[in-house]
């Protein structure tokens, strides 16, 4: 039986790279879909760069290319997204941008992947929400609202697919321990944050056959914050 195939959007980001590394260690076949182009991927990984996931046609083309290359698609991990800290009275509101990067990308990739995932005996969609979207704070309105949209997409799609083999879940991380976050918050204690490798492990469990009894779940992954 051929190896399970997972597609990772935003695979060249910090979390995406951690998931790719963990997936390869688990012996999975991996495809990376990213807006960035000209990036290198580990040997054996199908790299699709320059993909605009805010465009449904581009998302469909990329997902179909993954399924054609490997002959199947078993799981989609929607990591592509972005973050902006911005108060509501900012002169250049980022709400549309946040919804495009965080929600529209997940919606388009999921819609494109559904026919392939339904053909898998254990199809999986894993989204990245945000713990910050459970209760927003100053400057977090646009980001939190877009991630709350990811939460509702996760729940509604899970209900729609209950008669299929496909499950849909989301992880809700708090602060990730990244070089950029350490730079932006020099007085914080990163030991209390979430290591990307730890979040990757949770996502890969949800992408595995072992998670068949879990769907529509919003799972906080918050370290010790």
């Amino acid at each position: 039986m051929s190896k399970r195939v997972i597609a990772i959007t935003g695979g060249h980001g910090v979390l995406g790279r951690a998931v790719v590394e963990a997936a390869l260690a688990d012996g999975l076949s991996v495809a990376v879909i990213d807006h960035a182009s000209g990036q290198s991927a580990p040997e054996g990984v199908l790299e699709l760069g320059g993909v605009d996931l805010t465009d449904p046609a581009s998302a469909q083309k990329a997902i179909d290319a993954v399924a054609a290359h490997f002959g199947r698609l078993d799981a989609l991990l929607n990591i592509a997204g972005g973050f902006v800290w911005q108060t509501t009275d900012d002169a250049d509101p980022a709400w549309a941008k946040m919804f495009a990067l965080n929600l529209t990308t997940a919606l388009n990739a999921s819609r494109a992947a559904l026919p392939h995932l339904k053909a898998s005996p254990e199809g999986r969609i894993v989204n990245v929400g945000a713990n910050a979207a459970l209760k927003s704070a100053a400057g977090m309105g646009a980001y939190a609202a877009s991630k709350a949209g990811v939460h509702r997409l996760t729940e509604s799609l899970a209900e729609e697919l209950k008669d299929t083999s496909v499950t849909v879940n989301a992880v809700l991380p708090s602060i990730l321990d990244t070089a950029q976050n350490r730079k932006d918050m020099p007085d914080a204690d990163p030991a209390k944050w979430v290591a990307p490798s730890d979040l990757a492990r949770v996502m890969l469990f949800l992408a595995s056959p072992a998670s068949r009894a879990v769907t529509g779940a919003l799972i906080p992954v918050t370290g010790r914050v």
Side-chain angles (χ1 to χ4, degrees):
M1 188 173 181
S2 59
K3 295 189 293 185
R4 280 178 65 80
V5 176
I6 67 170
I8 303 168
T9 72
H12 289 310
V14 174
L15 176 57
R17 290 195 298 270
V19 174
V20 169
E21 182 177 329
L24 292 175
D26 285 351
L28 303 176
S29 294
V30 179
V32 168
I33 301 172
D34 205 293
H35 188 264
S37 58
Q39 303 289 314
S40 61
E43 185 177 354
V45 172
L46 175 63
E47 198 277 325
L48 299 174
V51 179
D52 179 7
L53 291 172
T54 67
D55 175 59
S58 294
Q60 189 71 63
K61 182 179 179 181
I63 293 293
D64 288 347
V66 174
H69 179 84
F70 290 109
R72 61 190 288 179
L73 177 62
D74 299 291
L76 169 68
L77 280 63
N78 284 311
I79 299 176
F83 173 80
V84 170
W85 189 95
Q86 182 187 77
T87 56
T88 307
D89 62 355
D90 191 279
D92 185 21
W95 288 68
K97 176 182 179 179
M98 286 292 92
F99 272 81
L101 291 178
N102 292 322
L103 179 57
T104 303
T105 56
L107 173 63
N108 287 342
S110 297
R111 283 171 52 87
L114 279 178
H116 304 293
L117 296 176
K118 288 178 180 179
S120 169
E122 298 283 356
R124 302 285 182 264
I125 296 175
V126 184
N127 295 322
V128 178
N131 192 61
L134 299 179
K135 180 177 174 56
S136 191
M140 299 286 283
Y143 173 77
S146 67
K147 287 296 189 179
V150 173
H151 299 178
R152 302 293 83 81
L153 170 65
T154 299
E155 293 169 331
S156 62
L157 189 52
E159 287 296 319
E160 293 168 14
L161 295 172
K162 276 194 171 178
D163 291 332
T164 75
S165 67
V166 183
T167 65
V168 189
N169 295 288
V171 292
L172 279 56
S174 55
I175 302 172
L176 291 183
D177 185 2
T178 67
Q180 187 62 52
N181 282 337
R182 288 188 179 218
K183 179 181 178 181
D184 292 342
M185 294 174 275
D187 297 327
D189 180 6
K192 295 183 178 181
W193 298 346
V194 178
S197 59
D198 288 337
L199 182 56
R201 279 280 133 223
V202 179
M203 295 184 70
L204 287 177
F205 165 73
L206 294 173
S208 75
S211 68
R212 70 186 64 187
V214 184
T215 193
L218 307 176
I219 301 176
V221 186
T222 57
R224 297 189 291 114
V225 174

